[in-house]
Amino acid sequence: MADSNLYIGLMSGTSADAVDAVIVDFSADQPRLVASHSQPFDRSTRASIHNLALPGTNEIDRMGGLDRELGETFARVVIELLEKGGCEASQIAAIGSHGQTVRHRPPGLNDNPFSLQIGDPNIIAQRTGITTIADFRRRDMAAGGHGAPLVPAFHSAFFHSAEQSRAIVNVGGIANLTWLPTQGQPLGFDTGPGNVLLDAWIMKTRGAPYDQQGEWAASGRVDNTLLEQLLAHPYFTQRPPKSTGPEAFNLDWLSSELARVEGELAPEDVQATLLVLTAQTIAASVSALQNGEFTTTYLCGGGAYNLQLRRALETLLPKQRVTDTTELGIAPEWVEATAFAWLARQTNERKAGNLPEVTGAREALVLGGIYPA
Ligand SMILES: Nc1ncnc2c1ncn2[C@@H]1O[C@H](COP(=O)(O)OP(=O)(O)OP(=O)(O)O)[C@@H](O)[C@H]1O
Ligand SMILES: [Mg+2]
């Protein structure tokens, strides 16, 4: 619908935990969530996604099949979301689908950088009858950018305050930070691992998908030798623009670092150390930007529900306030999906979606490919 201000955002991040979907009304100053829906991935789909996230055999066939499967899943999630929200497809202007990242090779480290998101948008448009906008990252990369992170533009549009500088920290598989000073340009970059290592370690050692509230981590003790080794990863001292993924932070890397530690660590001590790694790398980025000024850090993404992580951040940022985006009108789990609804709107209105100062692209650009209804 051409003049509608209702958009759907579809998000499934590197954690591959679930597809998060929202219907958002953009007719007022602030986005209004009309409906939300989250569909967890079953174990086998989650495994297929994780198995494609790192190099392996027969990738093209596996990717082609998963591209279709996820397209069907995303379409079903949209149909369920419409039912939940009591909306018709004809009321929705467009869907913004992030897609499932299966490989992110940022500029700097690679001669031919690329970022690949799957979940066929043709299928989404075909099944739902709604114009679908996808493939948001590659236009930014075509202009020399990282194609990531993209959410800072949304954070900047709706979460900026003229009275108080703010840090918005999205703790997904990877954590990304948006710095919103009261005046001047916003900044943003991936700080490093969010939940990715925490999830991978508890899955490997206990078969659980994630560490509820960080309780298992809380039962362990931080190993400072391992922590120092992990903090020595070159990503943490790289200057922005920068972005990363499970290609850099994964179990193989953790295992090689564990092999260098003398003696065997208790698995819960490893978890405790990984939690502090996430907290310290986020806190160090916030501290470097806030420059002694009082700021509030607003958490979003699934990591906002990790109580231990939140406590660790409060300890590491003693003069700051640490809260979550509920205070800004959007619950932590819906911020990213809402951002992709907004990015679809930007594209639909032929407005730029990237912040060049964040992604490193040469210019601000209209992002994404449009798959008409
Ligand atoms: N109650 C909780 N306690 C601890 N961790 C949680 C809790 N709820 C969610 N999480 C963590 O959040 C993760 C999911 O977060 P989210 O969906 O924001 O990440 P994502 O899908 O990787 O998104 P992206 O990487 O794009 O930001 C889970 O895998 C888990 O690690
Ligand atoms: Mg998720």
Side-chain angles (χ1 to χ4, degrees):
M1 204 176 152
D3 55 355
S4 167
N5 254 315
L6 290 181
Y7 285 80
I8 286 178
L10 273 182
M11 181 69 213
S12 68
T14 45
S15 304
D17 57 321
V19 187
D20 301 324
V22 288
I23 302 177
V24 190
D25 181 358
F26 286 104
S27 40
D29 283 354
Q30 288 294 312
R32 186 177 68 85
L33 248 65
V34 175
S36 58
H37 181 50
S38 185
Q39 176 65 55
F41 285 123
D42 57 40
R43 266 180 182 256
S44 84
T45 308
R46 195 174 196 212
S48 303
I49 294 169
H50 285 315
N51 289 339
L52 265 178
L54 292 173
T57 53
N58 195 27
E59 284 180 333
I60 292 180
D61 270 315
R62 286 193 288 133
M63 190 197 77
L66 191 59
D67 182 42
R68 274 206 75 113
E69 183 190 327
L70 292 179
E72 298 288 358
T73 305
F74 293 162
R76 268 200 310 278
V77 169
V78 168
I79 289 162
E80 285 163 15
L81 173 72
L82 289 169
E83 271 168 25
K84 219 167 155 178
C87 293
E88 299 291 330
S90 59
Q91 292 172 267
I92 309 294
I95 296 168
S97 177
H98 173 270
Q100 183 67 51
T101 300
V102 290
R103 208 63 56 84
H104 182 66
R105 300 277 187 214
L109 302 172
N110 305 279
D111 289 342
N112 282 309
F114 70 93
S115 192
L116 184 56
Q117 284 75 40
I118 63 171
D120 189 359
N122 294 284
I123 294 178
I124 306 174
Q126 184 70 16
R127 301 282 180 270
T128 63
I130 302 171
T131 294
T132 301
I133 305 174
D135 190 14
F136 286 94
R137 300 194 186 273
R138 293 199 299 168
R139 186 61 181 268
D140 181 88
M141 294 188 94
H146 280 245
L150 292 179
V151 287
F154 170 78
H155 297 158
S156 171
F158 295 108
F159 295 159
H160 174 265
S161 157
E163 280 88 51
Q164 169 206 58
S165 58
R166 293 174 169 174
I168 316 293
V169 181
N170 171 44
V171 189
I174 296 297
N176 58 267
L177 163 75
T178 305
W179 173 246
L180 300 172
T182 50
Q183 290 175 339
Q185 280 189 340
L187 294 172
F189 53 88
D190 288 345
T191 57
N195 298 298
V196 64
L197 296 168
L198 290 162
D199 285 359
W201 184 249
I202 198 170
M203 176 56 86
K204 179 184 155 83
T205 52
R206 307 190 105 193
Y210 66 91
D211 184 5
Q212 274 284 356
Q213 327 285 7
E215 277 172 14
W216 190 45
S219 74
R221 283 180 27 202
V222 175
D223 184 89
N224 285 317
T225 310
L226 177 63
L227 182 62
E228 289 306 315
Q229 276 176 225
L230 299 177
L231 285 168
H233 192 292
Y235 183 77
F236 301 125
T237 46
Q238 212 175 297
R239 293 173 65 87
K242 62 176 181 173
S243 61
T244 189
E247 297 81 4
F249 297 104
N250 56 46
L251 273 185
D252 285 348
W253 173 64
L254 177 61
S255 303
S256 67
E257 293 302 330
L258 279 171
R260 293 174 51 210
V261 178
E262 257 178 61
E264 184 129 351
L265 295 184
E268 61 272 23
D269 293 353
V270 176
Q271 190 77 350
T273 308
L274 293 174
L275 185 134
V276 172
L277 174 71
T278 293
Q280 275 208 14
T281 49
I282 292 171
S285 302
V286 175
S287 302
L289 289 163
Q290 52 100 16
N291 209 4
E293 194 189 340
F294 180 83
T295 45
T296 302
T297 295
Y298 297 88
L299 300 175
C300 58
Y305 293 102
N306 185 325
L307 203 64
Q308 288 305 319
L309 179 65
R310 205 149 156 162
R311 287 199 181 130
L313 283 167
E314 280 165 354
T315 308
L316 291 163
L317 296 166
K319 295 201 183 104
Q320 313 301 315
R321 200 160 73 84
V322 179
T323 180
D324 67 57
T325 55
T326 310
E327 279 188 26
L328 301 173
I330 308 180
E333 64 270 42
W334 305 122
V335 173
E336 281 229 298
T338 305
F340 278 85
W342 178 78
L343 282 165
R345 180 172 180 255
Q346 293 295 101
T347 302
N348 212 23
E349 297 183 352
R350 302 299 184 268
K351 292 180 185 159
N354 62 337
L355 293 177
E357 60 274 27
V358 169
T359 64
R362 283 183 286 277
E363 55 187 316
L365 291 157
V366 178
L367 304 177
I370 303 175
Y371 299 75

